[in-house]
């Protein structure tokens, strides 16, 4: 007998709670750019966000967005192997 292909459950196809891997928050734009380039060399899609606090501008470097928990977990591992040991997942 031939078994039917396994379909992903509703749980795995549901929207993931976290979609990004954050690798750092930088007060120096050049450091953010270097980190973003390192992520890209590791094969990850990169996003950067800006925010201001107490009159100072910061840049957040993220990998993503990812649509599955498996992709997110793999990206977290890749980011950590690329030297971002404190990387974490976020929305």
């Amino acid at each position: 007998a031939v078994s039917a292909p396994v379909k992903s459950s509703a749980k795995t196809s549901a929207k993931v709670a976290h979609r990004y891997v954050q690798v750092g928050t930088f007060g120096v734009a050049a450091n953010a750019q270097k980190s973003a380039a390192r992520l890209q060399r590791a094969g990850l899609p990169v996003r950067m966000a800006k925010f201001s606090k107490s009159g100072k501008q910061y840049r957040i470097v993220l990998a993503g967005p990812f649509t599955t928990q498996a992709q997110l977990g793999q990206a977290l591992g890749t980011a950590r192997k690329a030297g971002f040991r404190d990387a974490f997942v976020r929305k």
Side-chain angles (χ1 to χ4, degrees), residues 8 12 33 36 51:
S8 45
T12 57
Q33 290 293 339
F51 76 96

Side-chain angles (χ1 to χ4, degrees), residues 7-89:
K7 293 186 179 185
S8 45
S9 70
K11 205 173 210 178
T12 57
S13 62
K15 187 175 177 182
V16 289
H18 296 90
R19 297 182 58 207
Y20 295 91
V21 173
Q22 181 171 330
V23 299
T25 302
F26 301 89
V28 177
N31 292 342
Q33 290 293 339
K34 287 177 191 174
S35 294
R38 192 168 11 151
L39 280 180
Q40 286 177 322
R41 284 192 302 273
L44 295 173
V46 176
R47 297 275 191 273
M48 289 181 56
K50 295 179 187 178
F51 76 96
S52 294
K53 183 176 180 181
S54 302
K56 183 161 171 66
Q57 185 137 1
Y58 296 91
R59 287 171 176 74
I60 300 170
V61 179
L62 307 158
F66 300 101
T67 55
T68 68
Q69 198 63 44
Q71 289 173 334
L72 187 66
Q74 185 175 14
L76 181 60
T78 299
R80 287 181 174 164
K81 286 178 190 169
F84 300 103
R85 288 177 182 76
D86 295 332
F88 60 95
V89 296

